[in-house]
């Protein structure tokens, strides 16, 4: 089959078809929202393709105009924070929509769905370069059930990722793992996550008055086994902090109902659930003192970057890229000894409150210097423009 040579309309602005998630709340949703908004702010056109459950997509019946940034819904049978099951029509809707939109590039923030495996074939047929951001976390330093499960995910995906034109990963260890599993090195690019340092910044908050607290510790993320939240909760109870110290648990997940019955207001643990209002999440972070992420596995946690950007003293396990992010800017935990380490560390922040602003300033400075959303999008724009001439050269060879 002859493939069309696809040339961008001009050398600066691109039309990007972004395949990602808009719900339920998770890191992938935040990543897709922040990156696509930033790309649009810089003059790029973004068509957002995402899954909608129990809704028949009208994409095939609605005319799509090339060059228009639009939203396209793909039908799915089920979606969660972790994976998506598309309907049988989803691949047809996707291919038809891309054919009509004629984007310069497809960027898939992979939703862990069977459609991920079909994307290279669809895009090759249409002559559109394909980029993927691969989110699954991985710990190369510690072996546990969660890291073992994530390794299986990498082994499953690697043969298919080898057919993508480029794969974006968040850390060097993840890149090395994909290469060991057979993905060509030239196709795997490290572009760390970034956070909007204007939105996520230190500022006034009435959260302490709201919860009648002198000191607030906060966890933000999924309430799931791989996040190791029960070790945090056990350490919190063992630390026996005064009643004016509160632990805020922000997020939802499969373990939440069972943990609430054991850890609650009597232990000064407050469960806030999933908070969709971004301004409220920022207010909570600004009002907190210490951010804790006890995960068994991570990629590069956006929640951690948000806490750091808001100037919190941050503690996180040395998994994924989180240890690298916190090196010299926070306290790095061993995921195998989270409970005992936190049991020792938590009271120190109460006994030595001067540690909190010192660590918070270091955390904020690290994010501003290396992990801002602006830096992330700069790298992404450069990556797109460097990739497209190479892609068009390869296609021209195929059609000649």
């Amino acid at each position: 089959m002859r493939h069309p040579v696809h040339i961008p309309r001009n050398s600066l602005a691109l039309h990007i078809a972004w395949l990602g998630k808009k719900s339920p709340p998770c890191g992938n949703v935040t990543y897709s929202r922040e990156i696509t908004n930033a790309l649009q702010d810089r003059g790029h056109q973004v068509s957002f393709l995402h899954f909608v459950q129990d809704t028949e997509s009208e994409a095939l019946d609605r005319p799509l105009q090339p060059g228009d940034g639009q939203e396209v819904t793909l039908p799915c049978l089920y979606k969660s924070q972790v994976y998506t099951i598309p309907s049988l029509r989803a691949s047809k809707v996707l291919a038809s929509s891309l054919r009509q939109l004629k984007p310069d590039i497809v960027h898939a923030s992979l939703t862990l769905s069977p459609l991920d495996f079909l994307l290279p074939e669809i895009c090759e047929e249409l002559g559109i370069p394909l980029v993927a951001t691969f989110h699954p976390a991985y710990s190369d330093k510690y072996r546990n059930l969660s890291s073992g499960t994530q390794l299986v995910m990498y082994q499953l995906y690697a043969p298919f990722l080898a057919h993508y034109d480029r794969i974006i990963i968040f850390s060097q260890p993840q890149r090395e793992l994909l290469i060991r599993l057979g993905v060509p090195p030239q196709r795997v690019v490290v572009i760390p996550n970034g956070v909007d340092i204007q939105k996520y910044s230190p500022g006034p908050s009435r959260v302490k008055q709201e919860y009648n607290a002198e000191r607030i510790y906060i966890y933000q993320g999924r309430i799931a086994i791989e996040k190791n939240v029960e070790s945090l909760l056990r350490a919190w109870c063992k630390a026996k902090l005064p009643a004016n110290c509160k632990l805020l648990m922000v997020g939802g997940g499969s373990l939440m109902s069972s943990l609430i019955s054991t850890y609650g207001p009597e232990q000064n643990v407050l469960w806030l659930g999933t908070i969709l209002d971004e301004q409220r999440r920022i207010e909570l972070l600004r009002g907190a003192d210490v951010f804790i992420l006890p995960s068994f596995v991570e990629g590069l946690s956006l929640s951690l970057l948000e806490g750091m950007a808001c100037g919190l003293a941050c503690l996180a396990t040395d998994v994924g890229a989180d240890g690298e992010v916190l090196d010299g800017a926070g306290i790095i935990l061993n995921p195998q000894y989270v409970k005992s380490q936190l049991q020792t560390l938590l009271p120190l922040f109460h006994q030595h409150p001067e540690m909190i602003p010192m660590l918070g300033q270091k955390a904020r400075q690290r994010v501003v210097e290396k992990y801002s959303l602006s830096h992330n999008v700069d790298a992404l724009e450069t990556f797109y423009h460097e990739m497209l001439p190479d892609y068009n050269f390869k296609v021209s060879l195929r059609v000649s």
Side-chain angles (χ1 to χ4, degrees), residues 123-263:
C123 288
E124 183 178 9
E125 183 175 340
L126 296 173
I128 305 172
L130 174 62
V131 176
T133 299
F134 190 56
H135 292 269
Y138 177 65
S139 172
D140 63 327
K141 297 180 180 178
Y142 305 98
R143 292 290 178 263
N144 52 58
L145 179 60
S146 295
S147 65
T149 301
Q150 295 305 118
L151 177 58
V152 171
M153 182 68 69
Y154 276 71
Q155 292 169 331
L156 172 65
Y157 262 79
F160 298 93
L161 293 178
H163 295 288
Y164 281 68
D165 294 297
R166 295 290 190 280
I167 303 98
I168 293 172
I169 206 77
F170 299 138
S171 70
Q172 189 62 30
Q174 290 169 290
R175 180 178 186 272
E176 292 169 359
L177 173 61
L178 286 178
I179 292 170
R180 288 201 304 271
L181 293 173
V183 180
Q186 68 274 16
R187 298 192 181 187
V188 189
V189 181
V190 177
I191 301 181
N193 264 336
V195 64
D196 188 329
I197 57 174
Q198 274 71 50
K199 280 194 303 183
Y200 289 88
S201 60
S205 173
R206 293 187 55 82
V207 168
K208 282 191 170 70
Q209 295 93 315
E210 181 180 346
Y211 292 112
N212 191 28
E214 179 184 347
R215 198 79 61 216
I216 289 182
Y217 302 72
I218 189 168
Y219 167 84
Q220 178 178 280
R222 286 185 294 113
I223 312 299
I225 291 174
E226 64 270 19
K227 297 296 185 179
N228 197 22
V229 290
E230 192 161 12
S231 290
L232 163 60
L233 293 165
R234 288 176 176 173
W236 176 264
C237 292
K238 289 285 187 181
K240 299 187 183 300
L241 297 178
N244 60 6
C245 295
K246 311 289 185 184
L247 174 61
L248 305 186
M249 301 293 292
V250 180
S254 57
L255 293 183
M256 189 170 172
S257 58
S258 62
L259 293 174
I260 287 177
S261 61
T262 306
Y263 307 95

Side-chain angles (χ1 to χ4, degrees), residues 16-67:
I16 301 145
W18 188 280
L19 177 60
K21 294 176 73 171
K22 288 201 169 185
S23 66
C26 63
N28 193 326
V29 170
T30 303
Y31 176 84
S32 291
R33 182 188 67 240
E34 294 296 297
I35 296 293
T36 56
N37 285 345
L39 287 170
Q40 288 176 322
D41 288 344
R42 296 189 181 198
H44 301 286
Q45 294 174 321
V46 178
S47 296
F48 202 118
L49 298 91
H50 64 102
F51 291 99
V52 174
Q53 189 175 348
D54 297 327
T55 300
E56 284 297 310
S57 172
E58 299 177 355
L60 286 176
D61 305 317
R62 183 178 64 242
L64 300 176
Q65 300 302 318

Side-chain angles (χ1 to χ4, degrees), residues 64-124:
L64 300 176
Q65 300 302 318
D68 287 350
Q70 302 189 40
E71 182 172 320
V72 177
T73 56
L74 305 174
C76 72
L77 304 176
Y78 175 80
K79 61 178 177 176
S80 70
Q81 292 176 314
V82 180
Y83 62 91
T84 303
I85 302 176
S87 78
L88 294 177
R89 295 181 60 241
S91 61
K92 184 179 179 183
V93 173
L94 174 62
S96 175
S97 299
L98 292 177
R99 187 175 293 109
Q100 294 177 68
L101 288 169
K102 296 181 171 61
D104 297 314
I105 195 166
V106 173
H107 190 148
S109 181
L110 294 181
T111 56
L112 301 189
S113 112
L115 194 57
D116 299 342
F117 306 140
L118 302 177
L119 271 171
E121 182 180 344
I122 291 171
C123 288
E124 183 178 9

